[in-house]
């Protein structure tokens, strides 16, 4: 399919989300749409998939102008979409999910599962999308669930696939497999519109990269453009992509975890005898594919989950199974994994969020009455020094972009007296500019002599930030290595195998 | 011109206040439709509307006359009757009649403000206190008990009566609060059922010797002695019932503003209510917050109950806060109407009290059942609860941030 | 252009509301005062005029009066709570009502206060005798319903196949327990004279000065006059304990008893209360064996007519079998003629005072 967008403009009130966007996707092309969060990528995809109507401009499919009033129109025209959050019914089988809404039937309205299975097998064979049609979706790993989404789109005879940030939830291996599938689809003549803000994979797989910023197309470049070129186009200024840091000077251990055993909500020991030591002035990065106990490990350390056995010491003080308040006050900073869930209150102001875990502390309150001026002054200072982009400190946090919300959390945690900082997925979902910023702040904390523990499933981040890299697999630490170790070896540790040279 | 434009933009920006006012307008329209559909006189006029040239005009006039009479009665019965007021201003007489509507509205609004704030505080903590009515009943019973069974000088007796009311409500709030905190029992079910417990407990007390009016087999209490009553603001001779309960209501409002906007505990309430996960991660003790919120809410609900008795009847009987008179239930809707904010609740209470008082006047004057006022109240709450509907009807522009959120919901990034 | 349309829509809606209010100001004065007419007003309790009980009966009395005398107009105000008795009465006083009827003991205090404050205003109160020494215009309407309830108890005992009958009340208050008390007296009288042992569930009378309105005893009560589900549960329980005739004294709750009888099958029936069941609840007539009525409607009607004519006499009125203020109706065609004749004789005995309606005067059967 040849897709052409001409002058697409979409406004929300006074905000122009898309400003005269022109874009051409040729048949068999993998076209990447690159842009920061809030650049207007999602709005454009919604327009293209019929979920939003453009105020101006037209959409041409194979040279013919079309009107897409809803997603059904888009599907009929051969446009398929793979959402970042899968639209699958977890308890249904793969076959049932694929035919959902377009069920093939035999006489008397009986579902024709045999045909559904055969359709899936043929699509699988054609594009190398191996998946068992009878498996229930919830039993499949994320990577395979994504394949089901793709098969579903192809099952509706999609000739153009829109992939919205498809690698955000995948392991490095799964991401590589996806790239291969994308290439095979393109080779068979399907067009692919690929939305991302990860420079590495964009360069790896795209035929053409179109960068948008603030609702406007900045330009289209071949994938041979360097990462820093692309980043500069995206952010609008030069950005540093490598984490600049000096050699760590580790001092005494500050955060000591010994033989930690933690159970998850189902009662399984998902952290099974982890010992880890983080020294003042060093960054320890905990790597691993998501779901190997990292989340529960951090929850246990920060007092949010019961410790079955083992101990956690902060600056020599036992904080095992202490209430979160006591642990926070003992000087443990925490940047939670899911910031909107655990880190902030979206409906409250920036200023209130800045004192979320210190509301009773002087000068923010005295004798149970809050000092709103002190809270505001505090927030204004932090907004200034951490460069939080907000209309005012009284604005609700929900009005800030994801990156700025994360900056609020970083500012809050770093502005209280700290012994150690635990940061989970500190840059997840952030754009290049914000990632650079957060990384710099984390290094600064280290350089001020604090112990820092980073938990991340992004291998690049782990290798760039960590002074030591601990790899977690199925509730155990499979190895602690130097960041100069090869990516392949760390990847092996992440799958539980032990590379030859690792101890 | 620019100023008109500014006002217009403000109207279209769909602030909560605008929505509430427009919901009031829509509620009145709904009421008007019901009056039209149920008044035989109007229906007859319209039935004949197509038989002669002048008839449609007549039918329209009949419609306006009847609907107008009803709404005029609501206004004159709850705020002020202009001719009567003018009569008082010019002759200096009949002030009681002129001020009675406003006095009655305030009288009804007093306990409603207190009870609604009680409910609003739990709402802000993310909890549903459906048991405010039961807590108010316990407050009333405890207040009457202390007033009638203890003998003290007034300076001590009145405060002690009010404190007893608070204590009664605190007991009523503590039970669901502790049950939820320590056993996980759902507070909606516990508080809802607790209303029945409170009602029957009241009946038991009213039929037991210490509290029951002597020489009575009916469920009715002794009358509170004068020193424990909240006296009429302008003296008993004035004939106006508005009483010193208004001071209590104002104090509660000020307290609630401090609690929710300025206090540390209130901040923790709001954080817990808006995002319990973040509250926990921020070191807020969920159990303590929950129990404290329920204790404060229950105490205020109890205060509402005792304020109501001490300011009006001075005794309680089996109908105390039962059925449609259950202010603890009305408080839930008033709190929603006021968006759980003290000032919003004050306005909401005044509106509901005015509709209630005006509704009686409408019934007396026009024969339209008092229940129409309840219908209007309910319609207003429905419209306030569905701002999307109001915005569609008046073609308001949705707030920008919201529209983007809606448009991109589920798309991640 | 679009903007103007939107503005139009807003103004239109606003005008509709404001218009009705302002136009109303000019025209409604005539609605309020119907010149020269006698205004009869009733302040009902929280039950309202559709409570299937004494509020409805009082309102029916007013309406009957307007049919008798075209010069009378009727108005009512429902009380939303005990706190609205006084303002409602005051509203009617200021509207110039010729007579204000209040309903029930709970309005005792409010009625007495108003009657004392306005000695020339005519009041009638149903089911209560307030203490209002200054008033020259207060008529208290009370009813010796234990007299016709006695007849109901006798009939129930005679008609019972199982030898067990039952009663329950809406609340433990004299206007309710007086019925239950008379009912038990009737059953005990039957046992004593017919040498039978019919049991009564739901009310066990104890000693008390019945002449002073102390109908002491222990019994089964719903706690309100609205919860039909509770009525059904209680009645089904009585049926399970062997009763086949139940006498609910709880206003609308009695409909729950009817539902229970419906469910339990043919051999179970209900003794209706307050009004004639086959007239008030026509659809359920086949479940009623008889009705123990209280002449609220008639007595209120008479009071209103007298007030309109200027022959109103304050003081007290007591409805009895003798003056027709309370009556027993047979509703079931299965009642034998001999029993009806016995009931007529009992009526005479009660009227003359030779038969006592005090259950404690009879041995427990």
């Amino acid at each position: 399919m040849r897709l052409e967008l001409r002058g697409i403009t979409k406004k929300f009130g006074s905000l122009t989300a898309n400003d005269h966007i022109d874009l051409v996707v040729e048949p068999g092309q993998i076209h990447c749409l690159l842009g920061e969060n809030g650049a207007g990528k999602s709005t454009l995809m919604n327009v293209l998939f019929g979920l939003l109507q453009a105020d101006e401009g037209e959409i041409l499919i194979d040279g013919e102008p079309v009107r897409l009033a809803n997603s059904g129109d888009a599907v009929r025209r051969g446009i398929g979409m793979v959402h970042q959050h899968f639209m699958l019914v977890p308890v249904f089988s793969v076959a049932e999910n694929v035919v959902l809404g377009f069920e093939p039937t035999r006489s008397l309205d009986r579902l024709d599962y045999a045909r559904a299975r055969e359709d899936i097998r043929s699509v699988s064979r054609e594009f190398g999308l191996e998946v068992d049609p009878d498996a229930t979706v919830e039993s499949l790993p994320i990577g395979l669930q994504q394949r089901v989404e793709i098969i579903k789109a192809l099952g509706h005879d999609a000739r153009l696939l829109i992939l919205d940030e498809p690698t955000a939830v995948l392991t490095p291996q799964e991401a590589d497999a996806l790239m291969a599938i994308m290439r095979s689809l393109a080779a068979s003549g399907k067009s692919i519109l690929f939305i991302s803000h990860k420079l590495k994979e964009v360069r790896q797989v795209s035929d053409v990269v179109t960068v948008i910023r603030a609702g406007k197309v900045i330009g289209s470049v071949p994938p041979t453009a360097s990462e820093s070129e692309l980043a500069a186009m995206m952010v609008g200024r030069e950005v540093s992509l490598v984490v600049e840091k000096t050699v760590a000077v580790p001092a005494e251990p500050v955060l000591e975890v010994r033989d930690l055993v933690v159970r998850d909500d189902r009662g399984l020991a998902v952290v099974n005898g982890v010992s880890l030591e983080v020294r003042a002035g060093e960054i320890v990065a905990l790597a691993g594919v998501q779901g190997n106990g990292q989340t529960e490990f951090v929850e246990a350390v920060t007092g949010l989950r019961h410790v079955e056995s083992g101990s956690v010491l902060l600056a020599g003080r036992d904080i095992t199974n202490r209430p979160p308040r006591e642990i926070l006050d003992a000087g443990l900073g925490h940047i939670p994994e899911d910031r909107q869930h655990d880190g902030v209150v979206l409906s409250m102001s920036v200023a209130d969020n800045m004192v979320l875990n210190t509301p009773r502390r002087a000068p923010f309150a005295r004798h149970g009455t809050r000092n709103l001026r002190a809270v505001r002054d505090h927030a204004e200072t932090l907004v200034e020094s951490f460069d939080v982009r907000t209309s005012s400190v009284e604005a609700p946090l929900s009005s800030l972009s994801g990156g700025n919300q994360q900056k609020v959390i970083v500012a809050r945690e770093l502005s209280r007296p700290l012994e150690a900082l635990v940061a989970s997925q500190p840059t997840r979902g952030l754009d290049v500019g914000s990632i650079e910023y957060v990384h710099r702040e984390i290094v600064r904390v280290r350089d001020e002599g604090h112990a820092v523990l980073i938990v991340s499933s992004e291998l690049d981040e782990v290798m760039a930030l960590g002074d030591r890299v601990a790899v977690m697999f199925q509730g155990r630490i499979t190895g602690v290595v130097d960041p100069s170790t090869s990516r392949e070896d760390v990847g092996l540790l992440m799958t539980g195998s032990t590379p030859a040279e690792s101890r | 011109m620019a100023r008109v434009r500014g006002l217009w933009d403000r109207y279209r920006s769909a602030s909560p206040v605008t929505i509430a006012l427009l919901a009031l307008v829509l509620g009145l329209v709904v009421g008007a439709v019901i009056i039209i559909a149920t008044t035989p006189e109007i229906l007859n006029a319209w039935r004949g509307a197509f038989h002669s040239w002048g008839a449609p005009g007549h039918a329209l006039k009949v419609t306006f006359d009847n609907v107008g009479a009803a709404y005029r009665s609501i206004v004159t019965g709850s705020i002020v009757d202009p001719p009567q007021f003018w009569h008082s201003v010019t002759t200096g007489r009949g002030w009681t009649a002129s001020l009675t509507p406003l006095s009655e509205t305030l009288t009804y609004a007093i306990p409603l403000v207190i009870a609604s704030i009680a409910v609003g505080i739990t709402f802000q903590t993310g909890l549903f206190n459906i048991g405010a009515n039961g807590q108010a009943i316990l407050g009333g019973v405890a207040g009457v008990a202390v007033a009638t069974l203890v003998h003290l000088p007034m300076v001590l007796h009145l405060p002690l009566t009010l404190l007893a009311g608070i204590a009664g409500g605190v007991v009523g709030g503590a039970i669901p609060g502790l049950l939820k905190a320590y056993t996980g029992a759902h507070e909606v079910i516990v508080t809802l059922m607790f209303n029945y417990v409170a009602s029957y407990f009241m009946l038991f007390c009213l039929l037991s010797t210490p509290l029951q009016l002597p020489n009575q087999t009916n469920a009715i209490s002794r009358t509170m002695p004068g020193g424990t009553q909240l006296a009429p603001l302008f003296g008993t001779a004035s004939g106006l019932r508005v009483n010193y309960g208004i001071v209590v209501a104002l104090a509660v409002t000020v307290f609630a503003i401090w609690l929710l906007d300025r206090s540390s505990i209130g901040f923790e309430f709001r954080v817990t209510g808006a995002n319990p996960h973040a509250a926990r991660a921020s070191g807020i003790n969920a159990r303590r917050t929950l129990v404290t919120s329920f204790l404060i809410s229950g105490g205020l609900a109890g205060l509402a109950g005792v304020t109501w008795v001490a300011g009006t009847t001075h005794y309680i009987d089996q109908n105390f806060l039962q059925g449609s008179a259950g202010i603890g239930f009305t408080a839930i809707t008033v709190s929603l109407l006021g968006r759980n904010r003290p000032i919003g609740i004050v306005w909401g209470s005044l509106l509901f009290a005015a509709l209630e008082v005006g509704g009686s006047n409408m019934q007396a004057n026009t024969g339209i059942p008092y229940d129409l006022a309840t219908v209007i109240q309910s319609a207003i709450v429905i419209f306030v609860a569905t701002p999307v509907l109001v915005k569609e009807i008046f073609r308001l522009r949705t707030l920008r941030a919201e529209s983007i959120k809606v448009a991109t919901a589920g798309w991640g990034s | 252009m679009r903007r103007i349309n939107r503005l139009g829509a807003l103004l239109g809606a606003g005008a509709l509301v404001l218009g009705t209010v302002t136009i109303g100001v000019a025209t409604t004065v005539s609605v309020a005062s119907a010149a020269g007419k006698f205004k009869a007003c009733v302040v009902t309790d929280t039950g309202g005029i559709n409570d299937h009980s004494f509020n409805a009966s009082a309102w029916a009395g007013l309406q009957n009066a307007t049919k008798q005398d075209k010069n009378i107009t009727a108005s009512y105000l429902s009380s939303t709570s005990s706190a609205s008795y006084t303002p409602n009465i005051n509203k009617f006083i200021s509207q110039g009502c010729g007579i204000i009827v209040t309903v029930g003991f709970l309005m005792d205090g409010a009625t007495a206060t108003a009657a004392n404050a306005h000695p020339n205003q005519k009041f009638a109160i149903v089911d209560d005798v307030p203490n209002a020494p200054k008033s020259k215009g207060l008529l208290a309407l009370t009813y010796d319903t234990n007299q016709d309830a006695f007849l109901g108890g006798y009939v129930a005992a005679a008609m019972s196949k199982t030898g067990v009958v039952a009663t329950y009340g809406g609340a433990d208050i004299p206007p309710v327990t007086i019925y239950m008390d008379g009912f038990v007296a009737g059953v005990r009288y039957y046992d004593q004279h017919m040498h039978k042992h019919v049991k009564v569930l739901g009310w066990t009378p104890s000693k008390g000065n019945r002449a002073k309105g102390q109908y002491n005893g222990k019994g089964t009560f719903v706690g309100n006059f609205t919860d039909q589900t509770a009525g059904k549960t209680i009645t089904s329980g009585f049926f399970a304990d062997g009763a086949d005739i139940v006498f609910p004294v709880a206003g609308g709750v009695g409909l729950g008893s009817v539902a229970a009888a419906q469910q339990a099958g043919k051999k179970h029936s209900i003794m209706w209360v307050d009004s004639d069941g086959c007239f008030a609840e026509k659809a359920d007539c086949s479940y009623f064996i008889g009705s123990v009525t209280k002449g609220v409607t008639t007595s209120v009607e008479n009071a209103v007519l007298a007030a309109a004519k200027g022959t109103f006499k304050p003081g007290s009125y007591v409805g009895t079998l003798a003056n027709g203020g309370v009556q027993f109706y047979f509703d079931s065609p299965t009642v034998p003629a001999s029993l009806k004749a016995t009931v007529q004789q009992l009526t005479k005995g009660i009227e003359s005072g030779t038969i006592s309606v005090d259950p404690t005067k009879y041995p427990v059967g």
Side-chain angles (χ1 to χ4, degrees), chain A residues 211-447:
Chain A
V211 181
I212 64 173
R213 187 173 77 229
K216 291 197 179 83
V217 171
I218 299 304
S220 285
V221 292
T224 47
S226 75
E227 282 192 27
S228 46
E229 260 177 84
L230 290 173
M233 283 174 81
M234 232 167 109
V235 183
R237 60 182 166 83
E238 292 298 323
V239 286
S240 141
L241 290 170
V242 281
V243 179
E244 284 169 22
K245 56 172 188 169
T246 53
V247 178
V249 196
E252 77 290 347
V254 174
L255 184 65
E256 296 162 89
V257 179
R258 287 179 199 145
D259 302 322
L260 199 69
V261 177
V262 182
R263 295 186 185 278
D264 68 1
D265 295 334
R266 293 167 302 172
L268 303 174
V270 285
V271 177
N272 206 347
V274 168
S275 296
L276 194 65
E277 196 179 88
V278 187
R279 294 169 173 272
E282 76 164 347
I283 299 174
V284 173
L286 190 60
V289 177
Q290 247 203 299
N292 275 293
Q294 303 98 311
T295 305
E296 289 79 5
F297 174 75
V298 171
E299 285 175 348
V301 169
T302 51
L304 299 176
R305 187 174 283 278
H306 183 76
V307 173
E308 183 84 9
S309 65
S311 62
V312 184
L313 270 69
L314 182 63
R317 177 174 163 192
D318 190 354
I319 58 165
T320 319
N321 283 332
R322 301 308 305 161
R325 159 72 65 225
E326 197 179 316
I327 296 177
L328 289 167
D329 289 348
L332 187 68
H334 180 205
I335 298 172
E337 179 178 321
D338 187 340
R339 60 178 162 271
Q340 295 197 344
H341 191 259
D342 297 314
V344 294
V345 180
L346 288 172
S347 58
M348 294 178 116
S349 69
V350 172
D352 281 346
N353 273 286
M354 290 286 197
V355 295
L356 204 60
N357 49 25
T358 52
R360 288 173 181 275
R361 207 172 276 185
F364 309 134
R366 201 155 283 149
H367 308 303
T369 299
R370 302 179 70 209
N371 182 343
L372 297 183
R373 173 172 291 276
V375 170
R376 199 167 52 236
D377 290 348
H378 171 72
E380 266 158 9
T381 313
L382 291 183
V383 161
E384 178 75 31
S385 56
F386 285 81
D387 190 29
V388 180
R389 305 285 170 84
T390 174
S391 55
S392 100
V393 296
E394 301 298 337
L397 200 81
S398 56
S399 68
L400 271 60
S401 71
N404 280 300
Q405 290 177 7
Q406 186 74 327
K407 280 187 189 172
V408 169
I409 298 177
V410 171
R412 177 182 76 211
E413 296 306 308
L414 301 192
S415 64
R416 11 184 228 114
L418 285 188
E419 295 287 347
L421 174 71
V422 177
S424 288
Q425 315 291 355
T427 60
R428 174 176 286 176
L430 298 192
D431 52 63
V432 177
S434 303
I435 291 174
E436 179 197 14
Y437 177 85
V438 171
H439 284 174
R440 229 177 25 229
E441 283 302 321
I442 288 172
V443 172
R444 185 175 67 79
V445 173
R446 178 201 77 169
D447 292 345

Side-chain angles (χ1 to χ4, degrees), chain B residues 147 154 158 161 223-232 244 309-314:
Chain B
M154 178 177 172
L158 179 58
T161 300
T223 300
M224 299 166 77
T228 61
Q229 299 176 0
L230 289 163
Y244 280 96
V309 196
T312 56
T313 55
H314 311 131

